[in-house]
Amino acid sequence: MDEVVIKLPLRLMPRKFGAVLLSFFFLFFFGFSVFWTVMAAMGVMTGGMEDEPFPGFRYAFPAFGIPFMAVGFVGLSTGLMKLLPGSPYWHVEIAPQGIKVRRGFRLRQFAWSEISPFGISARTKSTKGGKVTTYWVVALRAGDESYLSDEKQRYNRSVLQIDAGEYTQDKAEDAATALADWLNGIRAEAIDRPGRAATTTAVPPDFRGAVREIAAGAPRNLTKPSSRSSVIER
């Protein structure tokens, strides 16, 4: 496969298909929660309730839907933020000087010299559909490299976390390895050559569909090389 080289800084944006599915799911979840809460409130106003567990329970009953509405609203907001053009609220930004990870309104930003090399932490949780494993690419504070060998400490002490599966349609485990190796290469060069770090990078195949070059304040899709050259120049 031809090499794709683009200029830094660049932005990794979450895959759209996953964001669309997430948005539709939480749209239904939020809509159903609103419908249930409204119907419960109307029932209280029109007819009351028999066999109340305690006096006044009828008035508290509709409030049970509020937490579900909140979960649906947050999930729907997350999906919509990922779908915004340029993904301004959900991305990984890589520059010669450092890295920035934005997830909603949470922003983490570090110079390369402030963080350790990157490692991979696999976190598994049980759901109704079975066990789900998320592969996080993590970095610790500079000086904490010794904890990278401990799986538990590697995640718990991390100051930077990237869900590799959000930015690729390939196998998340393999993508996490590719992303960690890629970021470690950029970091090593920035530290070894302060002030003279490379201004271009070769993008791994796993992430070519998610990468955008940042130019004039707006991300541009540079993942498709020209027919004459596999190196993209601006």
Side-chain angles (χ1 to χ4, degrees):
M1 182 179 292
D2 290 339
E3 187 178 63
V4 173
V5 178
I6 70 172
K7 289 184 178 181
L8 297 174
L10 61 80
R11 180 177 292 180
L12 284 177
M13 303 198 300
R15 53 196 178 97
K16 299 301 183 183
F17 181 71
V20 170
L21 293 180
L22 183 72
S23 298
F24 274 116
F25 173 79
F26 280 107
L27 178 62
F28 172 80
F29 190 94
F30 177 69
F32 182 80
S33 300
V34 172
F35 173 78
W36 185 92
T37 303
V38 171
M39 294 302 295
M42 292 178 62
V44 168
M45 291 186 294
T46 57
M49 180 181 295
E50 298 180 358
D51 301 323
E52 292 184 77
F54 56 85
F57 176 78
R58 71 180 70 178
Y59 302 106
F61 183 65
F64 292 157
I66 295 178
F68 295 96
M69 289 170 57
V71 170
F73 179 78
V74 171
L76 179 59
S77 299
T78 298
L80 293 177
M81 281 191 289
K82 293 180 179 181
L83 290 172
L84 288 175
S87 195
Y89 297 105
W90 208 283
H91 59 260
V92 178
E93 199 166 294
I94 304 169
Q97 300 80 18
I99 184 170
K100 177 172 68 176
V101 178
R102 183 156 194 169
R103 296 172 59 85
F105 297 103
R106 183 185 181 189
L107 177 66
R108 303 290 287 172
Q109 184 172 359
F110 296 93
W112 294 116
S113 59
E114 295 176 329
I115 56 176
S116 73
F118 289 84
I120 301 171
S121 181
R123 311 292 291 181
T124 301
K125 63 180 180 180
S126 298
T127 65
K128 291 183 179 180
K131 293 184 176 180
V132 177
T133 301
T134 302
Y135 292 90
W136 295 92
V137 175
V138 300
L140 287 63
R141 292 193 180 277
D144 287 348
E145 288 89 344
S146 59
Y147 294 106
L148 284 171
S149 59
D150 186 312
E151 168 63 29
K152 183 177 180 180
Q153 295 294 336
R154 184 189 314 146
Y155 183 83
N156 291 341
R157 288 180 172 267
S158 62
V159 294
L160 204 62
Q161 303 170 346
I162 304 170
D163 180 0
E166 283 189 331
Y167 301 95
T168 181
Q169 295 183 356
D170 298 325
K171 188 177 179 180
E173 183 177 4
D174 296 338
T177 301
L179 181 58
D181 290 344
W182 182 29
L183 294 177
N184 280 332
I186 297 174
R187 173 188 174 275
E189 185 164 6
I191 293 176
D192 293 342
R193 302 174 57 192
R196 298 181 294 112
T199 57
T200 61
T201 183
V203 182
D206 308 70
F207 299 98
R208 290 178 186 174
V211 71
R212 304 291 185 273
E213 179 185 313
I214 301 174
R220 293 185 294 173
N221 186 347
L222 296 178
T223 59
K224 295 182 180 180
S226 66
S227 58
R228 293 186 178 182
S229 173
S230 60
V231 179
I232 298 173
E233 300 178 352
R234 295 289 179 189

